[in-house]
Amino acid sequence: MASSSLTPPPEVPMKLHVLNRNKLITSLRDHLSSSSHPHHGFVLLQGGEEQTRYCTDHAELFRQESYFAYLFGVQEPGFYGAIDIATGKSLLFAPRLPTEYAVWLGEIKPLSYYKERYMVDLAFYTDEIATTLLNQCQGVAQPLLFLLHGLNTDSNNYSKPAEFEGIEKFEKDLNTLHPILTECRVLKTNLELAVIQYANDISSEAHVEVMKNVKAGMKEYQLESIFLHHAYMYGGCRHCSYTCICATGGNSSVLHYGHAAAPNDRTFEDGDMSLLDMGAEYKFYGSDITCSFPVNGKFTNDQRLIYNAVLDAHNAVISSMKPGVSWVEMHKLAEKIILESLKKGGLLVGDVHDMMAERVGAVFMPHGLGHLLGIDTHDPGGYLKGAERPKEPGLKSLRTSRALLEGMVVTVEPGCYFIDALLVPAMKSPSTSKFFSSEINRFRGFGGVRIESDVYVNAHGCLNMTKCPREISEIESVMAGGPWPIKKSVYFENGAC
């Protein structure tokens, strides 16, 4: 029977969110001072609302809106939160629940419960927002509200500014808060790092559990089930960071496989490669890990070639990461190493620099090298206001073009895929056909390999927070029944695990 070296899951102190609020207020005050604006008004955020399945009464499992989770840590729906910029005091507004709530959904908690649990200074009901905020700043005819509104550069969706009855009595600022709060999320505190590390630990352990139990003839969704069970059973992770990708055979070249039209339902066969991209979420903070391996536990020579090409790129990037390094250059480094490996293996011919100039790397790795990670799988802040995205193939898919900063958590996820929709045109193109040898045809239908780790950028370089077997010898040993103990991580200073 499976077990875990990580149980019980750690308690995450609410101080984490108190520090996040303090960080925001410090940054906001600095901005107001630099622009000669007074330190008055309120930051006001609206939490997420519970959603039902279309027109039915089936309530989907609620997960808090991420910016609200970052500042207040509230797990229930229907809340609002405010911070007084002048004093730094935090105010939480809870929904006034009907009496029948106690019959169907449990005890109705008093406001004192929310004040204590979420470590805020004051707690009120949501129907008291206008009167409460007006009372807090007596003498100001029309107090200022800093509302959250801005573009998420990963989704191209805009965050929703708070709305409540009586908001017309306030002056509204829709431009200031979003970039400042987003930048606060980019750099993690030690407490945040500790929770992300735990999510990585339990997810790494769950990936190993899948490796130990995979057998040819299973369904892809059975691998997903093993992962989800372990992360929840032993790690207390009720949510995943994203929909699991459990791709085998040719499916491993479908970058976002696992969606409703491709639901991890193939029966995989002896000799297939698998690409498993799965990450658990704990107390809002996530992980994002990909492991690739043959389902029978033994790499063929062709599988070794492609896997080691990706692994060499993965390791070279992590060895090069430190504050100040350009993420665009890290992507190019990964491309270059993969192309060199494919040339050495006889799949490509010609000069690698010429291949880079013609963007041949994007044929094999059309996605970006990685992204910011935190409360969201694709954490915001990848592109600062005014920054332009690269336009070249492959590079245009980068979710950030920034230089690395101490405190970032970034995924490193190079891949090499044989995707006919990209490969066939490149093999026919006058500018790129010369780079492909006839050996490339042997890999049509191979699928793909991706190796993904979550990496913390520190003052000295970086720390790989993911603890999965990566070398071929390690993977084959684990799949043959060998040990891979994952110990609890070393405590971060003031960390939770």
Side-chain angles (χ1 to χ4, degrees), residues 185-303:
R185 286 179 58 182
V186 168
L187 305 180
K188 273 59 180 181
T189 66
N190 286 335
L191 283 172
E192 290 181 286
L193 289 168
V195 186
I196 296 170
Q197 181 64 71
Y198 176 75
N200 263 269
D201 287 351
I202 194 64
S203 297
S204 297
E205 193 175 73
H207 271 281
V208 170
E209 196 63 25
V210 173
M211 290 182 189
K212 290 179 177 179
N213 288 280
V214 62
K215 293 179 178 62
M218 295 173 69
K219 291 281 192 180
E220 292 166 335
Y221 60 68
Q222 290 178 287
L223 307 186
E224 178 181 13
S225 177
I226 294 169
F227 179 90
L228 295 175
H229 172 74
H230 192 91
Y232 198 2
M233 178 75 174
Y234 299 103
C237 300
R238 195 174 192 187
H239 291 276
C240 256
S241 299
Y242 49 91
T243 302
C244 292
I245 297 171
C246 293
T248 61
N251 291 339
S252 57
S253 66
V254 180
L255 301 181
H256 284 169
Y257 183 76
H259 55 86
N264 295 333
D265 62 355
R266 177 177 178 269
T267 301
F268 49 84
E269 302 171 359
D270 190 19
D272 284 344
M273 278 294 288
S274 65
L275 187 160
L276 306 181
D277 189 339
M278 304 181 287
E281 176 184 298
Y282 186 71
K283 303 297 184 182
F284 302 122
Y285 287 85
S287 58
D288 188 357
I289 298 172
T290 307
C291 297
S292 298
F293 52 84
V295 299
N296 63 11
K298 287 290 183 180
F299 284 79
T300 66
N301 287 337
D302 283 351
Q303 289 169 345

